[in-house]
Every structure is written in C-alpha cells, then in structure tokens.
Amino acid sequence: MVPNDRIQGKNQLRVGRLVKAHGLKGALKLELYTDNPEGRFTPGAVFTLQVPEASPWHGKEITVREYRVMNGNSVVFFEDVDDRTAAESLVRAILWMDQDEDEVEENAWFDHQLVGLDVVRDDAVVGRVVRVDHFPAQDLLIVKAGEQEVMVPFVEAIVPTVDVPGGRVIVTPPPGLFEELPDGTDDTEGSADTEGSADTDDTDAR
C-alpha cells in the first residue's frame, strides 16, 4: 500500500508496473500485479502513479483509455498519452488504485494487513513484519528480528504462505538471511557449492 504521507486516507492496491513503450501511439507494456486485469484496466479506470519526485508525473493520476492483449503481452493506453515520447516518460511507473477492503484478490494484500504478522521459519517465530517497502523490481517485507531489521524479498520462493487470519507469514529464506553463517568453512572448499547456489535472487514480485 502507498505510504500514508503520499495518499492520505486511502487504501490502495498495487496492480501493475509500466515496463516499456510500445509502438508510436502512446501504448505501454504492463507487468501485472493483479489476477483480474480486464476488470482493473477498464476504460475510465483511474490510477495513482508512483514515480520519482523529479518525474513530471509525480503526484498525478492517470486514466485508462484502452487495454489490450497483444502477442501475449498486456498493453495499456492512457488519456493524454498520445505518442511514444509521452509513453517513455511513464516507463517504470507503478500503478495503484483504490480498492474496497471487502474485495478479495488472490495473492494481494494491503500493507496494513501484513504489518504486525509473525514471521515463522521451521515452526518457530523469528520476527515480526514492521513495514513493507515497495520497489520497481520487487517488494520487501521489513522484519524486526531481535535488535535488527531484516529485508525479506516478498516473493513466493521465500514467502510461500501469507496467513492473515492466522496472524503469520511463513518464510523459507536462504541461509544467512536471519543469522550469520558459521566461519568454519574454508572458502576454497566451499567455492563449488557457492557457485551452484548463488542464483537465489528470485525477482518475480508478488
């Protein structure tokens, strides 16, 4: 959810990211964070833009003109975005929209639903979610674990279960995320294992 200092009094859900200009008439390819794009991106739907403060779009909303699926890609057209130059100024923008809390969408949660949940690893509570940080590549759960804050990528490989009614999230983090690794392993002896397991950064944001 967008921080309260950006959008006062609104519960908002992140539904997409604009990844690339498409063609010459202002279209943009979408990375979807919703399982109902046809319902979200209807003509006239209004989105709040998350962009850097230096962007000309900072603090503005944008309205959908048309949504299509082209060659397997989700593509959206917006009002007053009529050419490629305008579309390119929106690349990497994250789209948020108002949502009724009674709505239920699979694998989508408000920040306030996640904050305060216990973080469980191997049936033991290792911390508690204190906030959610949103970045273009992925979201991070910030977990208070003892005296430290741990940044946990909010991806299915590391956070396979979110149980809001049960008050917990279950994590399967890589070694070293919540504790320091022992120093007993010789770097040379462990080099093969390190190379084989280094690619653990799953960046498919939920």
Side-chain angles (χ1 to χ4, degrees):
M1 191 171 71
V2 177
N4 287 335
D5 61 349
R6 282 176 31 87
I7 302 175
Q8 293 288 343
K10 291 184 179 181
N11 287 323
Q12 291 215 325
L13 186 68
R14 188 182 75 157
V15 294
R17 182 171 70 102
L18 303 174
V19 295
K20 185 178 181 181
H22 180 76
L24 303 176
K25 297 183 178 180
L28 287 128
K29 288 185 178 179
L30 268 170
E31 179 183 357
L32 295 172
Y33 304 140
T34 173
D35 58 1
N36 182 25
E38 290 81 5
R40 297 298 187 195
F41 292 92
T42 57
V46 177
F47 295 94
T48 301
L49 293 165
Q50 180 183 337
V51 293
E53 290 186 5
S55 169
W57 295 98
H58 184 258
K60 296 183 179 181
E61 295 181 336
I62 199 164
T63 303
V64 174
R65 175 158 47 93
E66 184 181 358
Y67 170 80
R68 304 178 188 172
V69 177
M70 303 174 67
N71 297 322
N73 296 307
S74 293
V75 175
V76 65
F77 295 81
F78 294 107
E79 299 289 348
D80 301 320
V81 180
D82 300 319
D83 57 37
R84 189 177 183 89
T85 299
E88 287 177 342
S89 70
L90 281 162
V91 170
R92 297 180 66 84
I94 297 174
L95 303 174
W96 299 78
M97 73 182 308
D98 293 347
Q99 186 191 36
D100 188 329
E101 285 197 64
D102 292 334
E103 288 185 76
V104 177
E105 184 165 339
E106 185 179 359
N107 293 331
W109 299 273
F110 294 111
D111 285 16
H112 70 79
Q113 293 177 298
L114 299 169
V115 172
L117 297 182
D118 287 335
V119 178
V120 178
R121 176 188 185 184
D122 296 330
D123 296 324
V125 176
V126 296
R128 178 168 293 184
V129 179
V130 292
R131 71 177 187 275
V132 184
D133 287 348
H134 301 282
F135 296 99
Q138 65 183 14
D139 297 333
L140 294 175
L141 298 182
I142 308 304
V143 177
K144 184 73 171 179
E147 296 301 317
Q148 64 176 338
E149 287 190 350
V150 180
M151 296 183 292
V152 179
F154 194 22
V155 296
E156 191 169 4
I158 298 176
V159 189
T161 301
V162 176
D163 180 8
V164 173
R168 64 177 187 164
V169 295
I170 296 175
V171 297
T172 55
L177 188 60
F178 280 94
E179 70 286 309
E180 293 185 9
L181 294 175
D183 296 328
T185 303
D186 182 83
D187 289 341
T188 303
E189 292 177 355
S191 61
D193 290 339
T194 301
E195 292 175 1
S197 60
D199 188 18
T200 59
D201 184 17
D202 181 353
T203 56
D204 292 332
R206 298 182 83 175

